[in-house]
Amino acid sequence: MLFWLKEEMATQELTRRLATAITHVDEIMQQEVRPLVAADIIEQLHRQFAILSGGRGKDGAPIITFPECVGFKRIPEEDFLNVLTYLTSIPSVEAASIGFVIVIDRRRDKWSSIKASLIRIAAAFPGNLKLIFILRPSRFLQRTFTDLGIKYYRDEFKMKVPIIMLNSVSDLHGYIDKSQLTRELGGTLEYRHSQWVNHRTAIENFALTLKTTAQMLQMFGACLATTELPKGVLPTEDLLMSHTRQQDKIQDELKLLGKQGATLLSCVQEPATKHFSSKLSPSELENIATMERLLVQLGETEKAFSQFWFEHHLKLNQCLQLQRFEHNFCKVKLALDNLLEEQAEFTAIGDSVMHVEQLLKERKILEEKGQEPLEKAQFLALAGDRLIQSPHYAADSIGPKCAELRRLCDDFTNENKKKYDILGKSLELHRQLDKVSQWCEAGIYLLASQAVDKCQSREGIDIALNDIKTFQATAKEYQLLSPKEFHSQFELLLTLDVKAKAQKVLQKLADVQEIFHKRQVSLMKLAAKQTRPVQPVAPHPESSPKWVSPKPSQPSALAPLQRAAEGPHMETDLTAPEKEDDESKLEVKNGETLERSENDGGSPELEQPGREDLSPSRHIIQDLLETEEIYIKEMKSIIDGYITPMDFIWLKHLIPDVLQNNKDSLFGNIKELYEFHSRTFLKELEKCVENPELLACCFLKRKEDLQMYFKYHKNLPLARAVWQECRECAYFGVCQRQLDHSFPLFKYLGGPGQRLIKYQELLKGLLDLESPEDVEMDPGELEGTLTKDVPKKTKMSQGFSTELQQALAVIEDLIKSCELAVDLAAVSGCPDDMEKLGRLLMHGPFSVWTIHKDRHKVKDFIRFKPSQRQIYLFERGIVFCKIRMEPGDQGLSPHYSFKKSLKLVTLSIRQLGRGSNKKLEIANRNGLEKYILQAPSKEIRDCWFSEISKLLMEQQNDIKEAEIIFS
């Protein structure tokens, strides 16, 4: 409110100051007493029948001269009156109040002319007349007539002032100083009538322009002050630019007017500046004074408008700042609201260690995602503080918004910290539960491993009791909490699900401790009964307990994925019975099923109720969903059956150091794959059962997440090396027997690659359902088709077909990139930027000759013995690798090391027919290096030549198109 009042006061001040300037201009130019300007009577002035030379009488009275003028009698009365009125209005009021002196020069004229002049002057002179000087005609007769006429007609002239008749200019000099008379009257006063008229016209035009400009500024200022401020950044910017352009235009006009005034002043002062001895006439001095006063008013006008524009421009700038602030505030607040809403959705605290770790990763991602909005909000709040301190007229509106931004930032930060604390507690909780479970399982395994035949002697009993005591002491190493301590520490995190899990684990702990107590009591009783011999009986091998997770283990899914390349066909019986023992352990045996699959050589159909009623597309999706569940369960069996037991204390002696140190290299990111498929991808696939058209979106949406397969396959060669070194260790055999797996671990580690192939096959199967030549089937034919289990081809929507093709392309590209990862991982010394070369297209062994051309000696140097190289062809380059044979388990095997890479854009290629039809030449464009490649066969040479030529042509076309675009 204060700002708008200040703006209104600035407008009023501008109007007042400009009105004052206009009044002063009128006073300077005497507009009240001078109704005429020189421009209005320019022709009459140029006739020069009356002049105001600027001379003064001895008492300072202005002198008006009537020089000799032919045709004076024919001058209209109106013109005569206008000229005299204009001339008498030029001197200052003080000089005009003294009275005017008139000098009539009629030395070459007649008495009749003198008479006419006196009559006109007496009748129409508008000023205060003081004295009249008349120079008589020089001819004797006319002089006599003049003397007689003055004597007899004096009363007719009605003159109240003296009329002095002079015979010559010498007589005139006795009344008026020669310096005040022009040269025509024998004086020394420099007077040029045309220059005087031009100066008067220019000064009056300047004054009129100044007055008009001041009036225009008044209107412009009122218009700016009454302009309604727009809402929005762009309208405000447009208004500011429009007003600024108008102000710049006015400022230029004021500067031009100032230059014109300075030029006019210098023209008036020119006589004095050129000749220091010459003096300016009073008329010229008055012109100079007039111009100086007018320039002062021009300066006042500029100052008044500049002050007003400063206030108005400040208002527009602050309005624009406010609009930008509010616009950015809305954007930042929306981002923060979305961030807080997304944060509010993070209510889960996790149901396992892996789940909590995944939640912590997601929380970290959200925190990183919120970093930019938080920084923007804090920066915007600081900008708002600066606006308030400026000061800004809308400080009352900006302040609360800054406070709200800071509140939202604090809410997100505090809530994020709170969530981190809760998840940290949850992670500690589940780690404690896992420790308890592992300790219990280890105890059960210890009790099960104590053979009865070894406890028949005192020594055997002591050993068993000592083992139990030693194992119970390990509870301190695991830092196991008592149930009371557990509840007091994690009471806030005990949701219904977590509480049930905790009670189950703690109950299991109590049961195991009770079993230990009973075993100790039994052993001590047995020790007291040494007099009665006991027949030793060896335990049945199948009675040995397993250490698998209390959750039910599931049949193998990775083995079926490997059947095409690595082993016999296998399938899983989903109806296999489950068995639960007294220690709450479930184990599912699939050995019989696997053996049956191996013997039959085929895969039994998965029997699902109502499956024959499914459409072909849903039939395929159901197959995808079922195999996805099996795939997830198989990965979990690897995690629970191979990875988790590596931390069991009682198995440490079975694990060599090289395996313990490289277990991450052996299993890669299989845990990450399991978490993604079990928690994310499976749920999205389940939604596709009712709506198959969502399937392609699942793959397209998770394109970036599926890149974890690239990471997995990149690690495979290292995993293979660890496996080759440790495959014979007892730990793997024990784990394989516990899981009832028919194949070693590494067979199952190839499952992710086979899963990608399965995705590819299923997507191709869906695409095959689309037939451009659809035929109509009657119900009988359709029923027969379904009975024969032949999938019906249906017409899919164009959008669904396109998305399926895109999804298939994603999977195929991923498969190729995984193959690239495996191949490149086997190459030692590869640069980190190999991915810049694009997809791997071909690779194979070649014999290579290298030709170097010396630029200075112009001489070729060629190695006559070829080098054996493994060459990889990428989309944008060629990589040469050295081949070396190294001994392995199955004899010598090839190993590759990186030598060099060449970009395709720098190469040219041609076939060599002379000497061999297996050769082709690759050369640098600069001609300094050439490579002759000999393929194993002509067909391989032609295939490589065709592919490289096509790539070169495509890249040249791309370069040409880029040059056209940028030219």
Side-chain angles (χ1 to χ4, degrees):
M1 189 68 180
L2 180 62
F3 183 88
W4 300 115
L5 181 61
K6 186 177 179 181
E7 172 73 10
E8 184 177 354
M9 292 176 61
T11 306
Q12 295 176 356
E13 178 66 15
L14 173 68
T15 303
R16 185 190 64 78
R17 293 176 66 177
L18 291 178
T20 302
I22 292 172
T23 303
H24 287 168
V25 171
D26 289 341
E27 291 176 355
I28 294 169
M29 301 308 297
Q30 301 182 31
Q31 291 295 314
E32 295 180 357
V33 298
R34 186 188 304 162
L36 296 173
V37 293
D40 296 337
I41 56 172
I42 190 70
E43 294 182 1
Q44 291 87 331
L45 290 175
H46 277 299
R47 294 177 67 177
Q48 206 171 345
F49 59 84
I51 64 173
L52 183 68
S53 62
R56 295 288 190 270
K58 292 181 179 181
D59 54 358
I63 300 174
I64 295 178
T65 304
F66 286 84
E68 291 180 336
C69 178
V70 178
F72 180 78
K73 297 178 182 181
R74 294 190 296 273
I75 296 174
E77 290 295 332
E78 184 180 0
D79 293 349
F80 182 81
L81 180 61
N82 287 340
V83 170
L84 285 185
T85 302
Y86 177 74
L87 293 179
T88 55
S89 65
I90 292 176
S92 64
V93 177
E94 295 178 358
S97 63
I98 298 174
F100 287 89
V101 175
I102 294 178
V103 178
I104 301 175
D105 185 9
R106 294 294 182 264
R107 286 175 294 176
R108 298 180 183 178
D109 213 332
K110 300 179 181 179
W111 155 247
S112 60
S113 176
I114 295 175
K115 181 181 177 181
S117 300
L118 289 174
I119 291 173
R120 282 190 168 186
I121 292 171
F125 192 79
N128 181 20
L129 191 59
K130 182 178 183 181
L131 188 63
I132 298 177
F133 292 100
I134 300 175
L135 289 173
R136 292 190 183 98
S138 58
R139 287 178 292 180
F140 175 77
L141 184 59
Q142 293 300 323
R143 181 181 298 179
T144 303
F145 288 154
T146 300
D147 291 340
L148 292 175
I150 289 296
K151 184 178 180 180
Y152 290 105
Y153 292 98
R154 182 179 295 272
D155 295 335
E156 186 179 348
F157 297 148
K158 298 179 182 181
M159 292 288 187
K160 296 180 180 181
V161 297
I163 298 175
I164 301 175
M165 303 297 295
L166 302 174
N167 293 324
S168 64
V169 294
S170 299
D171 297 339
L172 181 61
H173 296 164
Y175 295 95
I176 301 174
D177 190 85
K178 293 173 62 176
S179 62
Q180 302 299 318
L181 296 173
T182 62
R183 293 185 182 277
E184 289 77 9
L185 297 178
T188 59
L189 180 63
E190 293 290 338
Y191 175 77
R192 290 183 291 276
H193 185 67
S194 60
Q195 184 184 59
W196 180 87
V197 172
N198 290 338
H199 285 178
R200 289 305 307 174
T201 304
I203 291 172
E204 291 170 355
N205 288 339
F206 179 78
L208 180 61
T209 304
L210 176 57
K211 182 178 179 180
T212 304
T213 302
Q215 293 172 343
M216 182 268 295
L217 290 179
Q218 280 183 321
M219 297 175 60
F220 180 65
C223 179
L224 294 187
T226 57
T227 301
E228 184 178 356
L229 295 179
K231 294 183 179 180
V233 176
L234 292 179
T236 306
E237 288 179 344
D238 293 341
L239 181 64
L240 178 60
M241 291 177 62
S242 174
H243 284 190
T244 303
R245 284 194 297 268
Q246 296 179 57
Q247 188 269 344
D248 292 340
K249 183 178 179 181
I250 291 174
Q251 202 67 35
D252 292 340
E253 292 178 357
L254 290 174
K255 289 181 180 179
L256 180 61
L257 189 59
K259 290 181 180 180
Q260 291 175 351
T263 302
L264 181 56
L265 179 61
S266 63
C267 290
V268 176
Q269 294 174 338
E270 184 178 3
T273 55
K274 284 187 176 182
H275 307 285
F276 296 101
S277 59
S278 61
K279 295 182 179 180
L280 296 175
S281 66
S283 178
E284 291 174 334
L285 292 174
E286 283 189 359
N287 287 343
I288 292 174
T290 299
M291 282 302 305
E292 290 175 345
R293 292 173 66 189
L294 290 175
L295 289 175
V296 170
Q297 295 306 312
L298 175 61
E300 289 295 325
T301 301
E302 287 181 330
K303 288 181 182 178
F305 181 72
S306 296
Q307 181 64 30
F308 168 78
W309 173 252
F310 175 78
E311 300 289 343
H312 180 72
H313 190 261
L314 177 63
K315 179 184 75 172
L316 290 181
N317 265 330
Q318 290 192 352
C319 177
L320 180 59
Q321 291 170 349
L322 178 63
Q323 297 292 344
R324 287 174 175 168
F325 176 82
E326 291 181 344
H327 176 72
N328 293 332
F329 171 78
C330 292
K331 291 174 60 178
V332 172
K333 186 177 182 300
L334 178 62
L336 290 178
D337 289 341
N338 293 336
L339 200 63
L340 289 171
E341 183 178 353
E342 188 174 353
Q343 185 185 56
E345 295 176 356
F346 275 89
T347 57
I349 61 173
D351 55 11
S352 66
V353 173
M354 294 178 65
H355 191 194
V356 176
E357 290 176 345
Q358 181 64 28
L359 290 176
L360 285 171
K361 289 181 181 179
E362 294 175 359
R363 173 63 57 180
K364 183 66 174 177
I365 293 173
L366 179 62
E367 183 180 11
E368 293 174 352
K369 179 182 177 181
Q371 195 64 32
E372 183 178 356
L374 290 177
E375 290 178 355
K376 288 183 178 179
Q378 293 168 356
F379 178 79
L380 187 60
L382 291 175
D385 292 340
R386 288 195 293 269
L387 290 179
I388 294 174
Q389 296 171 3
S390 55
H392 197 282
Y393 71 85
D396 295 340
S397 173
I398 297 174
K401 290 182 173 64
C402 293
E404 185 175 4
L405 288 175
R406 291 191 172 94
R407 179 186 62 79
L408 292 174
C409 292
D410 292 340
D411 289 348
F412 178 81
T413 303
N414 295 335
E415 185 66 20
N416 207 41
K417 184 178 179 182
K418 181 180 177 182
K419 294 287 186 182
Y420 266 123
D421 294 340
I422 293 175
L423 290 176
K425 283 283 187 182
S426 178
L427 182 63
E428 184 180 355
L429 164 66
H430 290 292
R431 283 176 175 171
Q432 284 287 347
L433 293 177
D434 287 351
K435 287 180 180 179
V436 172
S437 296
Q438 292 177 10
W439 190 83
C440 292
E441 291 169 2
I444 294 171
Y445 178 78
L446 174 63
L447 294 176
S449 63
Q450 291 181 340
V452 177
D453 57 343
K454 294 183 179 180
C455 296
Q456 302 305 311
S457 64
R458 181 69 185 184
E459 182 181 0
I461 294 173
D462 291 340
I463 293 174
L465 288 172
N466 185 58
D467 289 343
I468 293 174
K469 183 178 180 181
T470 302
F471 181 79
Q472 287 179 326
T474 60
K476 296 181 181 180
E477 297 179 11
Y478 277 87
Q479 298 179 353
L480 300 181
L481 299 175
S482 66
K484 184 177 180 180
E485 292 174 335
F486 188 89
H487 281 281
S488 63
Q489 185 171 348
F490 301 109
E491 184 177 2
L492 296 177
L493 298 176
L494 294 179
T495 62
L496 293 178
D497 295 337
V498 177
K499 188 175 182 180
K501 179 181 178 182
Q503 288 176 347
K504 183 177 180 181
V505 173
L506 293 177
Q507 182 61 43
K508 184 177 181 180
L509 175 62
D511 293 343
V512 171
Q513 289 175 341
E514 184 179 356
I515 294 173
F516 270 116
H517 176 69
K518 291 181 178 179
R519 175 62 63 89
Q520 287 176 317
V521 172
S522 299
L523 288 174
M524 285 187 286
K525 287 182 179 180
L526 187 62
K529 297 179 180 180
Q530 289 298 316
T531 57
R532 181 180 177 183
V534 179
Q535 181 67 30
V537 179
H540 193 276
E542 292 184 357
S543 65
S544 299
K546 318 293 182 182
W547 65 74
V548 292
S549 174
K551 296 183 181 179
S553 177
Q554 298 298 340
S556 172
L558 294 183
L561 298 178
Q562 292 286 342
R563 63 180 179 267
E566 298 182 276
H569 179 79
M570 294 179 293
E571 191 53 82
T572 303
D573 185 1
L574 297 180
T575 62
E578 297 181 353
K579 181 179 179 182
E580 182 175 1
D581 58 14
D582 293 338
E583 287 74 27
S584 302
K585 293 191 305 173
L586 300 177
E587 64 179 85
V588 179
K589 297 188 176 183
N590 56 357
E592 296 178 2
T593 306
L594 295 177
E595 291 175 5
R596 182 171 65 252
S597 299
E598 293 171 6
N599 296 332
D600 296 343
S603 59
E605 291 189 16
L606 296 172
E607 297 182 1
Q608 295 292 336
R611 181 156 182 169
E612 64 275 2
D613 298 331
L614 296 176
S615 65
S617 59
R618 292 184 179 179
H619 189 283
I620 292 177
I621 292 176
Q622 187 66 33
D623 185 19
L624 172 63
L625 191 60
E626 291 172 356
T627 55
E628 183 75 11
E629 293 174 350
I630 298 173
Y631 173 53
I632 292 171
K633 293 172 183 177
E634 188 62 36
M635 283 194 292
K636 180 162 178 38
S637 71
I638 293 176
I639 295 172
D640 293 340
Y642 283 97
I643 300 177
T644 302
M646 295 186 83
D647 296 326
F648 292 170
I649 295 176
W650 67 92
L651 293 178
K652 293 291 184 182
H653 65 285
L654 300 178
I655 304 174
D657 291 340
V658 64
L659 176 58
Q660 188 68 39
N661 296 333
N662 293 280
K663 62 180 180 179
D664 292 338
S665 301
L666 176 61
F667 297 102
N669 61 330
I670 195 169
K671 288 185 178 181
E672 185 181 10
L673 289 173
Y674 169 73
E675 288 293 323
F676 167 70
H677 282 274
S678 63
R679 299 191 181 276
T680 304
F681 202 55
L682 177 62
K683 295 178 181 179
E684 294 181 355
L685 291 179
E686 289 173 347
K687 299 177 183 178
C688 302
V689 175
E690 297 300 328
N691 191 356
E693 294 194 357
L694 294 177
L695 180 63
C697 294
C698 292
F699 289 95
L700 296 176
K701 178 182 176 182
R702 297 298 173 182
K703 178 179 178 181
E704 296 300 326
D705 293 325
L706 290 171
Q707 292 303 313
M708 63 180 67
Y709 277 90
F710 179 85
K711 179 180 178 182
Y712 182 84
H713 283 80
K714 189 175 182 180
N715 181 71
L716 267 184
L718 185 57
R720 184 185 298 276
V722 175
W723 170 255
Q724 292 291 343
E725 187 171 356
C726 304
R727 62 187 301 177
E728 301 300 334
C729 74
Y731 174 76
F732 289 131
V734 172
C735 293
Q736 184 176 345
R737 287 193 299 273
Q738 295 296 331
L739 291 172
D740 289 332
H741 279 182
S742 299
F743 295 99
L745 167 65
F746 202 75
K747 291 281 187 180
Y748 298 96
L749 290 179
Q754 293 300 317
R755 189 59 187 162
L756 292 180
I757 296 174
K758 183 68 174 179
Y759 290 150
Q760 181 186 28
E761 293 174 354
L762 292 174
L763 289 173
K764 284 183 177 179
L766 278 176
L767 278 173
D768 289 341
L769 292 179
E770 181 180 10
S771 174
E773 300 176 356
D774 288 334
V775 294
E776 295 292 336
M777 289 187 179
D778 59 33
E781 292 176 334
L782 181 59
E783 182 179 358
T785 302
L786 292 176
T787 304
K788 295 177 183 178
D789 200 19
V790 179
K792 180 187 68 174
K793 294 191 175 184
T794 59
K795 186 78 172 182
M796 292 183 286
S797 64
Q798 183 64 33
F800 181 40
S801 176
T802 302
E803 290 180 349
L804 273 180
Q805 292 174 354
Q806 293 174 354
L808 179 59
V810 168
I811 295 300
E812 290 178 342
D813 288 344
L814 181 59
I815 292 174
K816 291 181 180 179
S817 65
C818 290
E819 293 174 353
L820 167 64
V822 174
D823 289 334
L824 291 184
V827 178
S828 61
C830 251
D832 295 334
D833 59 350
M834 288 291 290
E835 295 179 0
K836 295 181 180 180
L837 297 179
R839 293 187 297 112
L840 176 65
L841 303 176
M842 305 170 68
H843 61 88
F846 283 84
S847 299
V848 179
W849 288 267
T850 304
I851 302 176
H852 299 278
K853 178 174 288 188
D854 194 318
R855 185 178 300 178
H856 303 288
K857 299 180 180 179
V858 194
K859 176 175 77 171
D860 291 348
F861 169 73
I862 181 170
R863 292 184 57 176
F864 290 98
K865 183 179 179 181
S867 302
Q868 299 303 314
R869 296 286 184 258
Q870 180 76 6
I871 299 181
Y872 295 86
L873 176 62
F874 294 85
E875 285 180 314
R876 292 182 288 275
I878 299 177
V879 173
F880 291 79
C881 295
K882 184 177 180 180
I883 304 175
R884 65 180 186 277
M885 305 303 293
E886 295 183 358
D889 295 340
Q890 300 177 354
L892 295 178
S893 59
H895 290 262
Y896 310 114
S897 58
F898 176 82
K899 293 296 291 183
K900 67 173 61 179
S901 63
L902 303 173
K903 293 183 179 180
L904 282 180
V905 292
T906 64
L907 303 177
S908 62
I909 186 173
R910 69 185 182 94
Q911 289 184 348
L912 297 179
R914 182 180 59 185
S916 174
N917 57 2
K918 302 178 184 179
K919 294 181 180 178
L920 56 88
E921 180 186 89
I922 297 175
N924 276 324
R925 296 285 174 87
N926 55 20
L928 297 181
E929 280 187 339
K930 294 181 181 179
Y931 304 92
I932 297 176
L933 278 58
Q934 180 172 298
S937 66
K938 179 179 182 300
E939 291 75 16
I940 295 177
R941 190 278 305 268
D942 294 342
C943 181
W944 277 70
F945 180 82
S946 175
E947 188 67 26
I948 296 176
S949 300
K950 183 177 72 174
L951 292 173
L952 289 175
M953 185 64 67
E954 290 175 355
Q955 294 189 12
Q956 290 175 1
N957 293 336
D958 292 341
I959 293 174
K960 291 180 180 178
E961 291 177 2
E963 291 176 350
I964 293 174
I965 292 174
F966 291 104
S967 61

